Amino acid sequence: MATPPPLTPAQLRERLHTHLIDHYTQLHGTLVSITLGAAAFAAAGFVTAKTKPGDSILMWLFWVGGLLIIGAVYAGAVTGVFVLPGGIPSLLDLFIPLGIGLSQFMVFGVLTANVVTISDPDGIIIGWFAAMAAVGVFAILGIWRARSLLEDPTRYDVTVQSDVAKYRERLARDAGGAGFVAVLCVAGAALRAANIVLPLYGMYIHVVVIIGVLAFGLSQHRGAAKELNKFA
């Protein structure tokens, strides 16, 4: 077997140029695959669970909300990842995505743990809202990290600096959306923890509002993708 030629500085620079991008795309892809497995397991449990119709509707709303937050975070991560400058991932580039992944898994974990009977509705509701809020917080941290990497315009050619700056501004709006979702979820958990029990239809409305915000966020990522496709 022939010995491969030694790596040249140009080859190392080429690898370094895509190293951070590959890290994010592969890590987020793996985490989403694992979380979707938990989502599928929870959905299968809902089908066979013996629950009241009202509780079943609420659980499915939780499930849809969890699925949308996965989609929103993943879309945000992969839409503009190619804009990031080259470099070696830091500890932040590892721990923030892992925090997002763990929180997303918890969103469905609290549902999966109660697929047979809903014996502790307060625990499920508080746990789901808390996990969703955690995803929102970690998403804000991820957006902050991306914005910090895009901060130095000199790392980009003058012909694309305005496009990168525009995308960086869009990330600030994404952070606002993630923060709004986190606030709604913290409010939901706090109300339940304080024994302020909303009527069932009130809980439906609360979760539907969160679903609507997440759906809007997904549409915004679609708009960002259209703008960035100019480089295709």
Side-chain angles (χ1 to χ4, degrees):
M1 184 175 179
T3 303
L7 291 171
T8 65
Q11 290 173 316
L12 291 177
R13 281 194 297 270
E14 183 179 356
R15 292 184 180 186
L16 182 63
H17 185 66
T18 60
H19 187 38
L20 183 61
I21 297 172
D22 292 342
H23 163 78
Y24 270 110
T25 53
Q26 292 171 11
L27 184 55
H28 276 282
T30 300
L31 293 173
V32 166
S33 298
I34 295 172
T35 307
L36 287 178
F41 189 73
F46 293 162
V47 173
T48 58
K50 298 178 181 179
T51 60
K52 297 177 182 179
D55 290 338
S56 180
I57 292 172
L58 183 59
M59 294 300 104
W60 277 111
L61 286 174
F62 283 166
W63 189 86
V64 171
L67 205 63
L68 283 175
I69 205 167
I70 291 175
V73 171
Y74 182 74
V78 301
T79 296
V81 68
F82 76 94
V83 183
L84 296 178
I88 298 174
S90 69
L91 288 177
L92 286 176
D93 298 315
L94 172 64
F95 287 124
I96 293 176
L98 287 181
I100 291 174
L102 288 172
S103 302
Q104 289 176 338
F105 193 86
M106 287 170 59
V107 168
F108 294 103
V110 297
L111 304 179
T112 304
N114 296 276
V115 295
V116 179
T117 58
I118 302 178
S119 57
D120 183 18
D122 285 346
I124 298 172
I125 292 170
I126 294 172
W128 186 82
F129 277 126
M132 289 283 285
V135 176
V137 170
F138 279 112
I140 293 171
L141 291 175
I143 294 168
W144 164 80
R145 174 59 178 163
R147 278 175 55 82
S148 68
L149 290 171
L150 299 172
E151 189 173 12
D152 184 4
T154 62
R155 303 191 71 177
Y156 299 89
D157 187 82
V158 292
T159 59
V160 299
Q161 286 180 4
S162 61
D163 295 296
V164 173
K166 186 176 181 180
Y167 179 67
R168 192 169 183 271
E169 291 175 1
R170 181 182 282 275
L171 286 176
R173 296 194 293 272
D174 291 345
F180 186 49
V181 170
V183 168
L184 288 174
C185 292
V186 168
L191 287 173
R192 199 73 181 195
N195 292 322
I196 302 175
V197 180
L198 296 175
L200 194 57
Y201 68 85
M203 186 64 67
Y204 290 167
I205 293 173
H206 194 136
V207 179
V208 167
V209 169
I210 294 172
I211 289 174
V213 173
L214 292 170
F216 178 75
L218 275 172
S219 69
Q220 292 298 104
H221 291 315
R222 183 180 180 185
K226 288 182 177 180
E227 292 179 2
L228 295 173
N229 266 332
K230 64 182 289 185
F231 298 109

